[in-house]
Amino acid sequence: LLISCFSANAREYKAGIDYEIKNSKLTAKPEIREFFSFFCPHCYLLEQTFSPLNKEFSPKADVVYNPVYQIGGELGKRTQSAYAVAKKLGRENELRHLLFKRIKQTKGHLQPADDFDYLFEVMGINGSSYQQELKSAEVKALINDYNQKIAEYELNSVPQIIVNGKYQIILSNVQDEKDYKDLVSYLLSKDHLK
C-alpha cells in the first residue's frame, strides 16, 4: 500500500512538457546553467526561489550562472562584464545578490559611470582593481564563453535553465520547489554522466 501511494505521488517527466531537448551534445561534466539578466524581473524571482536550491546540486553538478547582455542596453553589457570580474575574483554570488537588489531599488536606473565601482567597493574591492580586472584576458574569455553559450542554445528569452548542455527546463510547467529539484535530479541522471 505504501509503495502504491508513493508511486501515485511521483511525477513522470516528459520531453516537450517538462523540458525540451536543445542539443545532442552533452557537457563533459554534469551541469546546471542558468541564463539570466539583472534587468529581468522574472530572473529576480528565480534568483529568490530556485537559485538557492541549486546549492543542493553543487556536489554532483557544476552550477553556472550565465548573464546575458541583450537586456538593459549598454548597462546590460556592463553588468555581464562586472559579473565576469566577480567570477574571476570568486565573488560572483555576492555581486549577483547586490546587483539584483540595486537594480530593483533603482528600477533599472543604474548610473553607468559610478555604480559598478561602488558595488565592488561595497564588497571590499577598490574601484581601480575592478577597472584593471575588466581588461584581463581571463575576464574577456569568460565574457566570450557566456556569449558563445547564448548563441549555441539560440536563446531568445530569460530566465532559462539548461541541464547537462542538452535539456532546457520549461519553467512555466514547474509546480513548486520540490518539483524543480526532482526535475533537475531527473535530468542530471538521465544520460548517466560520469
Side-chain angles (χ1 to χ4, degrees):
L1 182 61
L2 287 174
I3 292 171
S4 64
C5 288
F6 178 76
S7 297
N9 290 331
R11 186 161 174 244
E12 188 177 323
Y13 296 107
K14 295 181 181 172
I17 296 171
D18 302 296
Y19 62 92
E20 294 177 7
I21 299 172
K22 289 293 282 185
N23 198 342
S24 60
K25 183 181 174 188
L26 291 165
T27 51
K29 293 169 40 180
E31 177 186 277
I32 303 163
R33 184 175 290 261
E34 181 182 319
F35 293 87
F36 73 98
S37 166
F38 289 105
F39 296 94
C40 162
H42 300 292
C43 298
Y44 178 75
L45 291 173
L46 191 70
E47 174 74 11
Q48 302 304 304
T49 46
F50 295 127
S51 290
L53 302 177
N54 288 334
K55 291 177 185 172
E56 296 179 31
F57 295 109
S58 59
K60 55 186 166 184
D62 289 337
V63 178
V64 180
Y65 293 93
N66 198 126
V68 303
Y69 67 88
Q70 291 89 339
I71 301 172
E74 187 59 33
L75 282 172
K77 292 178 183 176
R78 297 208 49 222
T79 58
Q80 186 188 55
S81 297
Y83 186 80
V85 170
K87 173 79 175 164
K88 179 181 184 277
L89 299 174
R91 307 286 289 277
E92 66 274 20
N93 292 333
E94 190 176 352
L95 179 71
R96 204 171 60 252
H97 174 74
L98 284 170
L99 203 43
F100 266 126
K101 184 177 177 183
R102 182 81 171 147
I103 288 171
K104 186 167 172 51
Q105 287 172 342
T106 64
K107 296 182 172 56
H109 295 95
L110 286 176
Q111 299 304 311
D114 301 323
D115 270 22
F116 293 90
D117 288 346
Y118 169 75
L119 287 171
F120 276 85
E121 287 177 7
V122 166
M123 295 184 339
I125 300 162
N126 71 41
S128 61
S129 294
Y130 161 67
Q131 294 296 334
Q132 190 65 31
E133 292 291 351
L134 277 174
K135 301 171 191 167
S136 74
E138 189 176 341
V139 166
K140 289 178 182 176
L142 279 169
I143 294 167
N144 188 47
D145 181 60
Y146 294 148
N147 294 334
Q148 282 181 341
K149 293 297 183 190
I150 294 165
E152 179 182 336
Y153 297 119
E154 300 176 347
L155 298 176
N156 56 16
S157 65
V158 288
Q160 296 295 340
I161 297 175
I162 309 280
V163 178
N164 290 346
K166 183 174 180 179
Y167 306 106
Q168 181 176 332
I169 293 175
I170 299 174
L171 290 168
S172 60
N173 290 340
V174 174
Q175 297 172 2
D176 54 26
E177 293 177 8
K178 182 185 181 317
D179 190 36
Y180 174 80
K181 289 194 297 189
D182 291 347
L183 176 56
V184 171
S185 293
Y186 168 75
L187 295 173
L188 282 171
S189 64
K190 191 166 173 51
D191 292 293
H192 305 290
L193 290 175
K194 296 180 175 150

